[in-house]
Amino acid sequence: MAFSLEKSIEILERTPEVLFTMLHGISDDWTSNNEGEETWSVFDVIGHLIHGEKTDWVLRAEIILSENSVKKFEPFNRFAQFEESKDKTLPELLDEFKLLRNKNIDRLLSKNVTEKDFDKTGIHPAFGEVKLSQLLSTWVTHDLDHISQIARIMAKQYKEDVGPWIEYLKILRQ
Amino acid sequence: MAFSLEKSIEILERTPEVLFTMLHGISDDWTSNNEGEETWSVFDVIGHLIHGEKTDWVLRAEIILSENSVKKFEPFNRFAQFEESKDKTLPELLDEFKLLRNKNIDRLLSKNVTEKDFDKTGIHPAFGEVKLSQLLSTWVTHDLDHISQIARIMAKQYKEDVGPWIEYLKILRQ
C-alpha cells in the first residue's frame, strides 16, 4: 500500500478514540501493571504518546516543510513520560492526548501538503536523511504499534489464569 | 492479577466498540489486505470473532455450568469465517459481532456465576480438563490478542513506506 495522506489521517484521527474506548473506566489492574521489569504499563504508553505529540511528529514535519536550510530533528526522549505523567490520572492523559492529536492533525492539514511534498527531507539524529512520507507513515505505524502493545500488556495480566490455553495465545508468549 | 468476572466483563463489553472505533469507515486498503500468504486480513479476523460468539465461549461456559455428566466441548473451526463472511461487508460484520457479544454477555450474566463456580470444569478436545475461570480469562485474552493482531495487520500495510524507521517498529518485524 503506497503512502496516502488521507488514509494516514483515517488512522491518526481514530487513535485517541480507540484508546478512550479501550481504557476509559476500566480497573487500574489493567492499566497500572506492566509486562515485567523494565517494561511499560498502559499508563506509561499513553504518556509516551503525549510526549510524541508535543515534541515529535508534527514538529518534524514542519522542519521538513520549512524554508530553513537546517533540517535537523531534535532527538526524541523515550523516557520523558515518567516525569511528565507523574501527577496525572489515566483519564486526564487520555483527554490530553486527544486534544493534542486533534490540534496536530489540524496543524498538519493547514500546511496543505501535496504529493510533491512527500519526498522532501529532514535529518534524523540516527538515520540521517528521511522523507516526509516516511515520517508520516511512521507516525501511523507507531500509533498501531502502541495499540497492539497496550492490548498485549493487558492480556498478560491474565497470563497465569488461562491455564493450558496459553499454547494458542501467541500474545502471552511475546 | 487473579481472574475476576467483573474485570473480564470490562474488556469483553468494550471489544465490539473498540473494533467499531478502529475500523468503521476506514479505507478497504487497511482491512482487506493481509500480512502475506496464509495469513488473515482484518475482515477475516472479525469473521473469526463472530464464529467464536456463535460456537465457542458462552456455549462452553454453559456446558461447564450444566448439570449434564457429559462436559465435552465441540472442537472449534478456525476457518469457518471464510465461508460465513463471504457475502458480507465489514460494517455488517462489526454490527453482527456487537449484537452477538452483547447477547452472550447477558447470557453469561444470567447464570449468576460466583467464585464457587470458577473451578468447575469441562473437557477440551485437545487439553482435557479445563476450568471455567481459564475459559473466561482465555475469552478476554483472545479478544486482546485479536485487537493486537488487527493493529499489526494494519501497520504492515505501511511496511515499505516507513523507510529506516522499521528499525524502531517491532510490530513490522513480527
Side-chain angles (χ1 to χ4, degrees), chain A residues 1-5 7-8 10-11 14 17-18 20-27 29-30 33 57 60 73 78 124 126-127 129-131 133-138 140-142 144-152 154-172 174, chain B residues 1-5 7-8 10-11 14 17-18 20-27 29-30 33 57 60 73 78 124 126-127 129-131 133-138 140-142 144-152 154-172 174:
Chain A
M1 170 178 169
F3 174 75
S4 144
L5 185 63
K7 289 175 192 166
S8 299
E10 287 176 3
I11 308 301
R14 277 168 173 77
E17 302 291 345
V18 170
F20 188 92
T21 310
M22 274 181 98
L23 304 172
H24 199 265
I26 67 173
S27 300
D29 280 345
W30 293 116
N33 293 316
W57 311 106
R60 290 180 171 189
F73 303 157
R78 290 178 189 220
H124 184 279
F127 304 136
E129 203 170 77
V130 288
K131 295 177 188 173
S133 64
Q134 292 171 338
L135 173 73
L136 297 178
S137 47
T138 300
V140 170
T141 312
H142 180 266
L144 294 167
D145 198 353
H146 285 296
I147 291 172
S148 177
Q149 176 193 20
I150 284 171
R152 187 185 69 228
M154 292 167 71
K156 286 205 182 158
Q157 307 313 315
Y158 266 174
K159 190 172 180 175
E160 308 299 324
D161 303 279
V162 299
W165 266 288
I166 193 165
E167 198 183 315
Y168 292 169
L169 295 162
K170 256 191 253 168
I171 200 170
L172 299 183
Q174 279 171 2
Chain B
M1 170 178 169
F3 173 76
S4 144
L5 184 62
K7 288 176 192 166
S8 299
E10 287 177 2
I11 307 303
R14 277 168 173 78
E17 303 290 345
V18 170
F20 188 91
T21 309
M22 273 181 97
L23 304 171
H24 199 266
I26 67 172
S27 300
D29 281 345
W30 293 117
N33 293 315
W57 311 107
R60 289 180 172 189
F73 302 157
R78 288 178 190 220
H124 184 278
F127 304 136
E129 202 169 76
V130 288
K131 296 177 188 174
S133 65
Q134 292 170 338
L135 173 73
L136 297 177
S137 47
T138 300
V140 170
T141 312
H142 181 266
L144 294 166
D145 197 352
H146 285 296
I147 290 173
S148 176
Q149 176 193 20
I150 284 171
R152 188 185 69 228
M154 291 167 71
K156 285 203 182 160
Q157 307 313 314
Y158 266 174
K159 189 172 179 175
E160 308 300 324
D161 302 280
V162 299
W165 266 290
I166 193 165
E167 197 182 317
Y168 293 169
L169 294 161
K170 256 191 254 167
I171 199 170
L172 299 182
Q174 280 173 1

Side-chain angles (χ1 to χ4, degrees), chain A residues 31-50:
Chain A
T31 57
S32 62
N33 293 316
N34 61 22
E35 298 176 77
E37 230 175 300
E38 304 271 313
T39 64
W40 293 359
S41 67
V42 171
F43 183 85
D44 299 331
V45 176
I46 308 298
H48 164 76
L49 289 169
I50 287 173

Side-chain angles (χ1 to χ4, degrees), chain B residues 101-112:
Chain B
R101 171 56 59 89
N102 290 344
K103 274 191 192 163
N104 281 336
I105 290 175
D106 288 347
R107 209 163 135 180
L108 179 65
L109 291 176
S110 76
K111 305 281 167 201
N112 298 313

Side-chain angles (χ1 to χ4, degrees), chain A residues 91-148:
Chain A
E92 282 169 351
L93 293 186
L94 290 168
D95 285 346
E96 187 180 356
F97 177 55
K98 190 171 168 174
L99 204 79
L100 289 168
R101 171 57 60 89
N102 291 343
K103 273 191 194 166
N104 281 336
I105 290 174
D106 288 347
R107 208 162 135 180
L108 179 65
L109 291 176
S110 77
K111 305 282 168 201
N112 298 312
V113 171
T114 67
E115 280 194 32
K116 282 183 299 185
D117 300 309
F118 291 177
D119 285 342
K120 289 185 176 166
T121 56
I123 305 298
H124 184 279
F127 304 136
E129 203 170 77
V130 288
K131 295 177 188 173
L132 181 65
S133 64
Q134 292 171 338
L135 173 73
L136 297 178
S137 47
T138 300
W139 192 8
V140 170
T141 312
H142 180 266
D143 271 16
L144 294 167
D145 198 353
H146 285 296
I147 291 172
S148 177

